[in-house]
Amino acid sequence: MAGPDNIIIGSHVWVEDPGLAWIDGEVIRINGNEIHVNTAHGKTVVTNISKAFPKDTEAPPGGVDDMTKLSYLHEPGVLQNLATRYELNEIYTYTGNILIAVNPFQRLPHLYDTHMMEQYKGATFGELSPHVFAVGDAAYRAMINEGKSNSILVSGESGAGKTETTKMLMRYLAFLGGRSGVEGRTVEQQVLESNPVLEAFGNAKTVRNNNSSRFGKFVEIQFDKNGRISGAAIRTYLLERSRVCQISDPERNYHCFYLLCAAPPEDIERYRLGSPKTFHYLNQSSCYELDGVNDAHEYLATRRAMDIVGINDEEQESIFRVVAAILHLGNINFAKGKEIDSSVVKDEKSRFHLNMTAELLRCDAQSLEDALIKRVMVTPEEIITRSLDPENAVASRDALAKTVYSRLFDWLVDKINVSIGQDPNSKSIIGVLDIYGFESFKCNSFEQFCINFTNEKLQQHFNQHVFKMEQEEYTKEEINWSYIEFVDNQDVLDLIEKKPGGIIALLDEACMFPKSTHETFAQKLYQTFKNNKRFIKPKLSRTDFTISHYAGEVTYQANQFLDKNKDYVVAEHQALLTASECSFVRSLFPPLPEESSKSSKFSSIGSRFKLQLQSLMETLSATEPHYIRCVKPNNVLKPAIFENFNVIQQLRCGGVLEAIRISCAGYPTRRTFYDFLNRFGLLAPDVLEGNYDDKVACQLVLDKKGLKGYQVGKTKIFLRAGQMAELDARRAEVLGNAARTIQRQIRTYIARKEFISLRGAAISLQSYLRGNMARKIYDELRREAGALNIQKNLRRHIDRKSYLTMRKSAILLQTGLRSMTARNEFRFRKQTKAAITIQAHWRCYQAYSYYKSLQKAVLVSQCGWRCRVARRELKKLKMAARETGALKAAKDKLEKRVEELTWRLQLEKRLRADHEEAKAQEIAKLQDALHEMQSEVEEAKSMVIKEREAARKAIEEAPPVVKETPVIVQDTEKINSLTSEVEKLKALLLAEKQTAKEAKQAHATEQAKNVDLTKKLDDAGKKVDQLQDSVQRLEEKLSNLESENQVLRQQALSMSPTGRALAARPKTTIFQRTPENGNVVNEEIKKALPNPQLTETEEKPQKSLNEKQQENQELLIKCISQDLGFSGGKPVAACLIYKCLLHWRSFEVERTSIFDRIIQTIGASIEVADNNDLLSYWLSNSSTLLLLLQRTLKASGAASLTPQRRRSTSASLFGRMSQGLRGSPQTAGFSFLNGRLLGGLDDLRQVEAKYPALLFKQQLTAFLEKIYGMIRDNLKKEISPVLASCIQAPRTSRASLGKGRSQANAVAQQALIAHWQSIVKTLNNYLKTMRANYVPSFLICKVFTQTFSFINVQLFNSLLLRRECCSFSNGEYVKAGLAELEQWCHDATEEFAGSAWDELKHIRQAVGFLVIHQKPKKTLKEITNDLCPVLSIQQLYRISTMYWDDKYGTHSVSSDVIASMRVKMTEDSNNAVSSSFLLDDDSSIPFSMDDISKSMQQIEVAEIDPPPLIRGHSGFSFLLQHTE
């Protein structure tokens, strides 16, 4: 892959390593053909330059999903890619169209659930991540499209996961063309249920595997012409017959022998068995048991499996009897007889086993003995019987054992096929081949020779297929490939199978000669093939030989080749078992034609093996092959362990490396023009600058570098082996030169930066010194200015101090003079105050006497008032006790409670009014008392003034000397009494203030109680409203139940004789309203109702009435079939239908055809599924009409059970009138005949609907859901093709790789967003259409919510399934598109968009995770809690492991976070948590009729004008009256 010129110092290469197979490193020295490599582990390795392979340093960190995309397609590159993907739990990888599956040894259920099957169904091969479903889908699509059968070849050693892969393939094929099998079991289940039986009889322990299949299994899944599974069959090939008689240590024989020896005691006794060590066919090896396997339990499990596949107890008994017979047969030994070349049974032990064999096979013991030791030769003259020597007798015994066992195995396969069921008319099949892989042990015998011969044949088929695929790729790209040499292994096949000189032919020839030995056979081989390059003779052995197979050299030991190849078809054995008394044994050996049963014929296992192999190859050649190579990553069968040597060996044995060798013979490296220019465009910058096409630019780059032998296809560049390494070497040289240029510029930049830094430091130092000098000069100037300031302030302080001393002395003199004047003034005022005090005491006495009288009156009034308040509080407590009663549960009790609450509300109002009135009276009384007290105080004041005047006059009139002393005494007493009275008045005033304060507090308390009572009244009113609403909802639900029951009763009646009898009754007479009787008053209607003339059913009037009604219906149907448009935002057709049906009383008749005709008209109108305008028109009409019916119709009899009560109208005239009309069945049909009354009662009254009306409502509901689903699905279909382009950003043109392409980039950016703008345009068109047709905003919101959910599911699932989408640039692209959708939601407003934006939460968070920087620094907690709280661990793990950055080269999250995610995923799988990482689209109807009723406003049908077609018709005059 890499020439010496391509590896230079600094190149990254792969070199061989004894521990890791291959290890990467960097070349540090080159000495001629030897290179010194510093490995990644720090060691230095010296190797030949021809043994080093270049490493792609720019390979994605997560590997590539198709190894043909590898820059270097060699062994270490393939191994590293598989190991990298396996570490990320990416177990599938393509190599072209070959799938490599690495066994994870753990459950990964998210890879195989139904969501994943849905994603791969119909997907182009290679579009999604590699998967076994992709191979199955490719086979199925090829079978359907081309009509040719396909086959899937699953190969690999035991433990590699072949059976599990086969199971997944059959599950997927059953999903694509599934048909349930017998008894509810699928074909896949029946095939898998047969595995335990086939494994028990066809699997054995080998040197490497404990459960190795020793036969090939080809499962045919049969399909009919429609692509549905019609049957299945299991074909088995190449059973290893020789293992029955001969095994090598430490291998085992087939499992069934050991299972039978571990059977329950009764079975062992029945078959006379014992330990496996006692049987010759088992004790040739020292291995009798398997680790971790209980043969006794496996025996019971095998018996149960036989029951499942349809093998009854009698057949099971016969099967194990035959197995026991084979064991006993192997213990029959022979000794020389009396005659020459004769033999007899050796001893009694052998005789016992002979008799047991005869007993178990139900044949004669003597006949069995004769068949083993004698032969009959038929000649034209006579029949000759001859004896066999002991050696030939043993060969005869072994031949019988092998024949019986192979016939038993074939019978089991046929029985399983009968149980599964085959389709003999099937034209197409998909076959799944599960066969043993290439084997190479220390000791390789005849079995390994046959197995490796089979794998050589399959490898030739595989090579031809790979070369064919290469040719198809080259032809598709239109390049010349005629000179490419096909790598073939035909020379090995000729060595083995060619006649007459092949190994098998020489082996058969040696077996036919009695005196041949393995030494003579080996010498014959040495002589025949001494010049064959594929045949090698070992130096130290005389019997071994080596064959150079495609997977490597294998040395075979020829010691037992002759014995294991002999397989006589003995006529005596056939005759013996055909005559058996056991029907089962006879069925194993049907009679042969007479001429073939007369003598024994030699038949070799090798020849038989070759014929069966030829049959298998013919079957495979008739089908289109698909290949799956299963790989076992380690021998300890544990997850997360990848053993390089083990995997490399399996890749060689599986032919994967051979396929790579075939690819390398042609053009192993293919690159699209874009990728090639993106990587190697820097080798010729002038080419990028030129305006060249990508194809021409690639060719110019290659020509400029002087490469020869490459090919330019239509879309790709094809490079020969080594050319990629040469280009990379030159690219590394260019990059190295560029790096040196960058380093030179960086060093210049650093030096200049240092110089500028030094210059800046010098300038800073100078600035500091100059500043220091300036600061010193400034300090001196500041000191001089400070001294001047100090002198000035000191002088000012001295002058101020002298001034303050003089001012203080002046103030002291002024203070003495002013205080003397003030004392004189004080003495005068003190005398005046004493006189005023005397006057005050007198006035106090007078007020106190008045207060005492007033206090008694206040106490009396307080007692009376408190009694009244107490009585009122008692009343309130009694009322509260009555209000706390429990509500009655039954409906009638609930209604009584409503009435009681209403009565209590009125009572509370009256009590409140009484309380307010009493409070007002009490306040008035208190105000009167206050006025009286004020008047009494005024009177007391006037009396005091009068008494003072009288006292003054008396003093003046009295003699001055004689009565001086008595007057003074009397005045003193009066002053004292007045003083005491004033004190009492003060106390009384304080008490009065306290009383007034208590009254205010009581008033505030009462006001608080009034507020509480008001709140209670409001709460009671709300409870009444809630109870009324609950009653109404219960009535509506009861009405719906009644309607459903009535529908069921009607259907039951229509099926029964009584129903037909009821149907034979006379029809209900419809009272047709006319303009003449349209204005009849209610009293006249009531009087006219019992009148026989109004209910007259004579033939003529009835006929004319029906004809008129039929004419009106025809006109209505004709009218609504047209586009009537909208009036005031209301659909005219819906309102017209409703008003006509209500007027004609169609809801209340037992039979009518009008409903069916309306439904048929709507159905005919929406037949064009893609006319969104028409669908929106009928969605608006059907929702409006359904809303009107929902609020109008109720089942018959529901009115008596659930009478309507409306609080807002029950007390009014119209409310009582409507209740009376509803309660009266006689007037129910005529209450709406008055035109003036109809418009007012449309929203109040309900009609007792009959069966046709209820059925019409159900049909209309179904049509509403259907129309909604059609609009939603049309929107999904319209945006679905665009979504495929929205998930992956289109690649920018090559022009963006050059310089100066800003204009081109702007055009590219505009093109990037075009797909998203197309979706926005589609959404706007649908929104505009639905709004133009006045579709309720509730339904519009639901349409867009489900559509955005669909967008979220499609984008998110595509992101998780396509690795190229999980990139940084793609995240930016999708984020920009989501911003367009967010802007649309904002422009559409919440009324119509609703929560649509929230439906995109998964893709929004996933894209947000893609475009964040520094992902390795994020912890798992930050990711799950902050960044992506909606995403599951499985989804986060998928995105994290698939992420790659094509823009900035950033990395995904750290390995610790990945490990934590794995632990959580393991815990979730152990806890049975769903581990599917895909989302499911919800296509259900997301609303109910109750939702529509709550969301839509009340419809006033009276405001709708009738259309012109019926405006002038007399039968529709009632429409005009309502309008007037």
Side-chain angles (χ1 to χ4, degrees), residues 578-592:
T578 302
S580 171
E581 297 177 1
C582 176
S583 59
F584 180 78
V585 176
R586 287 200 306 272
S587 67
L588 297 180
F589 292 88
L592 296 175

mmCIF file with all atom_site columns, all heavy atoms in Angstrom, residues 578-592:
data_model
loop_
_atom_site.group_PDB
_atom_site.id
_atom_site.type_symbol
_atom_site.label_atom_id
_atom_site.label_alt_id
_atom_site.label_comp_id
_atom_site.label_asym_id
_atom_site.label_entity_id
_atom_site.label_seq_id
_atom_site.pdbx_PDB_ins_code
_atom_site.Cartn_x
_atom_site.Cartn_y
_atom_site.Cartn_z
_atom_site.occupancy
_atom_site.B_iso_or_equiv
_atom_site.pdbx_formal_charge
_atom_site.auth_seq_id
_atom_site.auth_comp_id
_atom_site.auth_asym_id
_atom_site.auth_atom_id
_atom_site.pdbx_PDB_model_num
ATOM 1   N N   . THR A 1 578 ? -35.435 -52.544 6.541  1.00 0.00 ? 578 THR A N   1
ATOM 2   C CA  . THR A 1 578 ? -36.729 -52.450 5.854  1.00 0.00 ? 578 THR A CA  1
ATOM 3   C C   . THR A 1 578 ? -37.706 -53.466 6.419  1.00 0.00 ? 578 THR A C   1
ATOM 4   O O   . THR A 1 578 ? -38.926 -53.234 6.438  1.00 0.00 ? 578 THR A O   1
ATOM 5   C CB  . THR A 1 578 ? -36.541 -52.677 4.346  1.00 0.00 ? 578 THR A CB  1
ATOM 6   O OG1 . THR A 1 578 ? -35.613 -51.711 3.851  1.00 0.00 ? 578 THR A OG1 1
ATOM 7   C CG2 . THR A 1 578 ? -37.857 -52.540 3.600  1.00 0.00 ? 578 THR A CG2 1
ATOM 8   N N   . ALA A 1 579 ? -37.165 -54.607 6.906  1.00 0.00 ? 579 ALA A N   1
ATOM 9   C CA  . ALA A 1 579 ? -38.013 -55.652 7.485  1.00 0.00 ? 579 ALA A CA  1
ATOM 10  C C   . ALA A 1 579 ? -38.247 -55.459 8.968  1.00 0.00 ? 579 ALA A C   1
ATOM 11  O O   . ALA A 1 579 ? -38.783 -56.362 9.633  1.00 0.00 ? 579 ALA A O   1
ATOM 12  C CB  . ALA A 1 579 ? -37.368 -57.017 7.236  1.00 0.00 ? 579 ALA A CB  1
ATOM 13  N N   . SER A 1 580 ? -37.868 -54.330 9.543  1.00 0.00 ? 580 SER A N   1
ATOM 14  C CA  . SER A 1 580 ? -38.029 -54.110 10.974 1.00 0.00 ? 580 SER A CA  1
ATOM 15  C C   . SER A 1 580 ? -39.502 -54.074 11.354 1.00 0.00 ? 580 SER A C   1
ATOM 16  O O   . SER A 1 580 ? -40.372 -53.644 10.574 1.00 0.00 ? 580 SER A O   1
ATOM 17  C CB  . SER A 1 580 ? -37.350 -52.801 11.370 1.00 0.00 ? 580 SER A CB  1
ATOM 18  O OG  . SER A 1 580 ? -37.671 -52.456 12.694 1.00 0.00 ? 580 SER A OG  1
ATOM 19  N N   . GLU A 1 581 ? -39.783 -54.553 12.580 1.00 0.00 ? 581 GLU A N   1
ATOM 20  C CA  . GLU A 1 581 ? -41.152 -54.514 13.077 1.00 0.00 ? 581 GLU A CA  1
ATOM 21  C C   . GLU A 1 581 ? -41.560 -53.106 13.507 1.00 0.00 ? 581 GLU A C   1
ATOM 22  O O   . GLU A 1 581 ? -42.743 -52.842 13.729 1.00 0.00 ? 581 GLU A O   1
ATOM 23  C CB  . GLU A 1 581 ? -41.278 -55.471 14.269 1.00 0.00 ? 581 GLU A CB  1
ATOM 24  C CG  . GLU A 1 581 ? -41.031 -56.926 13.908 1.00 0.00 ? 581 GLU A CG  1
ATOM 25  C CD  . GLU A 1 581 ? -41.106 -57.827 15.132 1.00 0.00 ? 581 GLU A CD  1
ATOM 26  O OE1 . GLU A 1 581 ? -41.361 -57.289 16.233 1.00 0.00 ? 581 GLU A OE1 1
ATOM 27  O OE2 . GLU A 1 581 ? -40.895 -59.042 14.990 1.00 0.00 ? 581 GLU A OE2 1
ATOM 28  N N   . CYS A 1 582 ? -40.599 -52.227 13.657 1.00 0.00 ? 582 CYS A N   1
ATOM 29  C CA  . CYS A 1 582 ? -40.894 -50.845 14.069 1.00 0.00 ? 582 CYS A CA  1
ATOM 30  C C   . CYS A 1 582 ? -41.186 -50.011 12.823 1.00 0.00 ? 582 CYS A C   1
ATOM 31  O O   . CYS A 1 582 ? -40.350 -49.914 11.906 1.00 0.00 ? 582 CYS A O   1
ATOM 32  C CB  . CYS A 1 582 ? -39.703 -50.267 14.831 1.00 0.00 ? 582 CYS A CB  1
ATOM 33  S SG  . CYS A 1 582 ? -39.917 -48.526 15.280 1.00 0.00 ? 582 CYS A SG  1
ATOM 34  N N   . SER A 1 583 ? -42.355 -49.403 12.799 1.00 0.00 ? 583 SER A N   1
ATOM 35  C CA  . SER A 1 583 ? -42.745 -48.613 11.625 1.00 0.00 ? 583 SER A CA  1
ATOM 36  C C   . SER A 1 583 ? -41.838 -47.399 11.448 1.00 0.00 ? 583 SER A C   1
ATOM 37  O O   . SER A 1 583 ? -41.584 -46.967 10.324 1.00 0.00 ? 583 SER A O   1
ATOM 38  C CB  . SER A 1 583 ? -44.194 -48.143 11.771 1.00 0.00 ? 583 SER A CB  1
ATOM 39  O OG  . SER A 1 583 ? -44.350 -47.361 12.953 1.00 0.00 ? 583 SER A OG  1
ATOM 40  N N   . PHE A 1 584 ? -41.347 -46.863 12.553 1.00 0.00 ? 584 PHE A N   1
ATOM 41  C CA  . PHE A 1 584 ? -40.462 -45.710 12.453 1.00 0.00 ? 584 PHE A CA  1
ATOM 42  C C   . PHE A 1 584 ? -39.158 -46.075 11.758 1.00 0.00 ? 584 PHE A C   1
ATOM 43  O O   . PHE A 1 584 ? -38.674 -45.354 10.879 1.00 0.00 ? 584 PHE A O   1
ATOM 44  C CB  . PHE A 1 584 ? -40.181 -45.150 13.856 1.00 0.00 ? 584 PHE A CB  1
ATOM 45  C CG  . PHE A 1 584 ? -39.267 -43.959 13.865 1.00 0.00 ? 584 PHE A CG  1
ATOM 46  C CD1 . PHE A 1 584 ? -39.741 -42.698 13.534 1.00 0.00 ? 584 PHE A CD1 1
ATOM 47  C CD2 . PHE A 1 584 ? -37.919 -44.098 14.185 1.00 0.00 ? 584 PHE A CD2 1
ATOM 48  C CE1 . PHE A 1 584 ? -38.889 -41.603 13.532 1.00 0.00 ? 584 PHE A CE1 1
ATOM 49  C CE2 . PHE A 1 584 ? -37.072 -43.003 14.183 1.00 0.00 ? 584 PHE A CE2 1
ATOM 50  C CZ  . PHE A 1 584 ? -37.560 -41.756 13.855 1.00 0.00 ? 584 PHE A CZ  1
ATOM 51  N N   . VAL A 1 585 ? -38.575 -47.221 12.142 1.00 0.00 ? 585 VAL A N   1
ATOM 52  C CA  . VAL A 1 585 ? -37.329 -47.662 11.511 1.00 0.00 ? 585 VAL A CA  1
ATOM 53  C C   . VAL A 1 585 ? -37.575 -47.978 10.042 1.00 0.00 ? 585 VAL A C   1
ATOM 54  O O   . VAL A 1 585 ? -36.748 -47.650 9.174  1.00 0.00 ? 585 VAL A O   1
ATOM 55  C CB  . VAL A 1 585 ? -36.754 -48.879 12.263 1.00 0.00 ? 585 VAL A CB  1
ATOM 56  C CG1 . VAL A 1 585 ? -35.507 -49.410 11.565 1.00 0.00 ? 585 VAL A CG1 1
ATOM 57  C CG2 . VAL A 1 585 ? -36.427 -48.503 13.704 1.00 0.00 ? 585 VAL A CG2 1
ATOM 58  N N   . ARG A 1 586 ? -38.709 -48.606 9.742  1.00 0.00 ? 586 ARG A N   1
ATOM 59  C CA  . ARG A 1 586 ? -39.026 -48.895 8.337  1.00 0.00 ? 586 ARG A CA  1
ATOM 60  C C   . ARG A 1 586 ? -39.143 -47.611 7.522  1.00 0.00 ? 586 ARG A C   1
ATOM 61  O O   . ARG A 1 586 ? -38.745 -47.560 6.353  1.00 0.00 ? 586 ARG A O   1
ATOM 62  C CB  . ARG A 1 586 ? -40.339 -49.687 8.247  1.00 0.00 ? 586 ARG A CB  1
ATOM 63  C CG  . ARG A 1 586 ? -40.228 -51.123 8.701  1.00 0.00 ? 586 ARG A CG  1
ATOM 64  C CD  . ARG A 1 586 ? -41.368 -51.959 8.136  1.00 0.00 ? 586 ARG A CD  1
ATOM 65  N NE  . ARG A 1 586 ? -42.671 -51.394 8.433  1.00 0.00 ? 586 ARG A NE  1
ATOM 66  C CZ  . ARG A 1 586 ? -43.373 -51.643 9.528  1.00 0.00 ? 586 ARG A CZ  1
ATOM 67  N NH1 . ARG A 1 586 ? -42.871 -52.472 10.455 1.00 0.00 ? 586 ARG A NH1 1
ATOM 68  N NH2 . ARG A 1 586 ? -44.553 -51.096 9.724  1.00 0.00 ? 586 ARG A NH2 1
ATOM 69  N N   . SER A 1 587 ? -39.698 -46.552 8.161  1.00 0.00 ? 587 SER A N   1
ATOM 70  C CA  . SER A 1 587 ? -39.838 -45.295 7.425  1.00 0.00 ? 587 SER A CA  1
ATOM 71  C C   . SER A 1 587 ? -38.488 -44.653 7.129  1.00 0.00 ? 587 SER A C   1
ATOM 72  O O   . SER A 1 587 ? -38.362 -43.887 6.170  1.00 0.00 ? 587 SER A O   1
ATOM 73  C CB  . SER A 1 587 ? -40.707 -44.311 8.221  1.00 0.00 ? 587 SER A CB  1
ATOM 74  O OG  . SER A 1 587 ? -40.043 -43.914 9.413  1.00 0.00 ? 587 SER A OG  1
ATOM 75  N N   . LEU A 1 588 ? -37.466 -44.960 7.948  1.00 0.00 ? 588 LEU A N   1
ATOM 76  C CA  . LEU A 1 588 ? -36.135 -44.433 7.677  1.00 0.00 ? 588 LEU A CA  1
ATOM 77  C C   . LEU A 1 588 ? -35.477 -45.129 6.486  1.00 0.00 ? 588 LEU A C   1
ATOM 78  O O   . LEU A 1 588 ? -34.589 -44.549 5.839  1.00 0.00 ? 588 LEU A O   1
ATOM 79  C CB  . LEU A 1 588 ? -35.239 -44.579 8.908  1.00 0.00 ? 588 LEU A CB  1
ATOM 80  C CG  . LEU A 1 588 ? -35.644 -43.810 10.176 1.00 0.00 ? 588 LEU A CG  1
ATOM 81  C CD1 . LEU A 1 588 ? -34.629 -44.075 11.289 1.00 0.00 ? 588 LEU A CD1 1
ATOM 82  C CD2 . LEU A 1 588 ? -35.732 -42.321 9.910  1.00 0.00 ? 588 LEU A CD2 1
ATOM 83  N N   . PHE A 1 589 ? -35.894 -46.360 6.205  1.00 0.00 ? 589 PHE A N   1
ATOM 84  C CA  . PHE A 1 589 ? -35.284 -47.153 5.127  1.00 0.00 ? 589 PHE A CA  1
ATOM 85  C C   . PHE A 1 589 ? -36.370 -47.657 4.191  1.00 0.00 ? 589 PHE A C   1
ATOM 86  O O   . PHE A 1 589 ? -36.761 -48.820 4.244  1.00 0.00 ? 589 PHE A O   1
ATOM 87  C CB  . PHE A 1 589 ? -34.489 -48.327 5.714  1.00 0.00 ? 589 PHE A CB  1
ATOM 88  C CG  . PHE A 1 589 ? -33.265 -47.913 6.460  1.00 0.00 ? 589 PHE A CG  1
ATOM 89  C CD1 . PHE A 1 589 ? -33.341 -47.600 7.808  1.00 0.00 ? 589 PHE A CD1 1
ATOM 90  C CD2 . PHE A 1 589 ? -32.045 -47.818 5.826  1.00 0.00 ? 589 PHE A CD2 1
ATOM 91  C CE1 . PHE A 1 589 ? -32.211 -47.208 8.504  1.00 0.00 ? 589 PHE A CE1 1
ATOM 92  C CE2 . PHE A 1 589 ? -30.917 -47.434 6.521  1.00 0.00 ? 589 PHE A CE2 1
ATOM 93  C CZ  . PHE A 1 589 ? -30.991 -47.119 7.855  1.00 0.00 ? 589 PHE A CZ  1
ATOM 94  N N   . PRO A 1 590 ? -36.900 -46.788 3.334  1.00 0.00 ? 590 PRO A N   1
ATOM 95  C CA  . PRO A 1 590 ? -37.913 -47.247 2.373  1.00 0.00 ? 590 PRO A CA  1
ATOM 96  C C   . PRO A 1 590 ? -37.298 -48.226 1.386  1.00 0.00 ? 590 PRO A C   1
ATOM 97  O O   . PRO A 1 590 ? -36.084 -48.190 1.128  1.00 0.00 ? 590 PRO A O   1
ATOM 98  C CB  . PRO A 1 590 ? -38.336 -45.944 1.685  1.00 0.00 ? 590 PRO A CB  1
ATOM 99  C CG  . PRO A 1 590 ? -37.194 -45.025 1.858  1.00 0.00 ? 590 PRO A CG  1
ATOM 100 C CD  . PRO A 1 590 ? -36.563 -45.388 3.165  1.00 0.00 ? 590 PRO A CD  1
ATOM 101 N N   . PRO A 1 591 ? -38.080 -49.137 0.808  1.00 0.00 ? 591 PRO A N   1
ATOM 102 C CA  . PRO A 1 591 ? -37.536 -50.150 -0.133 1.00 0.00 ? 591 PRO A CA  1
ATOM 103 C C   . PRO A 1 591 ? -36.902 -49.489 -1.338 1.00 0.00 ? 591 PRO A C   1
ATOM 104 O O   . PRO A 1 591 ? -37.410 -48.501 -1.877 1.00 0.00 ? 591 PRO A O   1
ATOM 105 C CB  . PRO A 1 591 ? -38.776 -50.958 -0.531 1.00 0.00 ? 591 PRO A CB  1
ATOM 106 C CG  . PRO A 1 591 ? -39.764 -50.701 0.557  1.00 0.00 ? 591 PRO A CG  1
ATOM 107 C CD  . PRO A 1 591 ? -39.512 -49.317 1.054  1.00 0.00 ? 591 PRO A CD  1
ATOM 108 N N   . LEU A 1 592 ? -35.760 -50.049 -1.787 1.00 0.00 ? 592 LEU A N   1
ATOM 109 C CA  . LEU A 1 592 ? -35.042 -49.544 -2.949 1.00 0.00 ? 592 LEU A CA  1
ATOM 110 C C   . LEU A 1 592 ? -35.475 -50.307 -4.192 1.00 0.00 ? 592 LEU A C   1
ATOM 111 O O   . LEU A 1 592 ? -36.055 -51.397 -4.108 1.00 0.00 ? 592 LEU A O   1
ATOM 112 C CB  . LEU A 1 592 ? -33.533 -49.693 -2.737 1.00 0.00 ? 592 LEU A CB  1
ATOM 113 C CG  . LEU A 1 592 ? -32.922 -48.884 -1.600 1.00 0.00 ? 592 LEU A CG  1
ATOM 114 C CD1 . LEU A 1 592 ? -31.438 -49.241 -1.448 1.00 0.00 ? 592 LEU A CD1 1
ATOM 115 C CD2 . LEU A 1 592 ? -33.068 -47.410 -1.862 1.00 0.00 ? 592 LEU A CD2 1
#
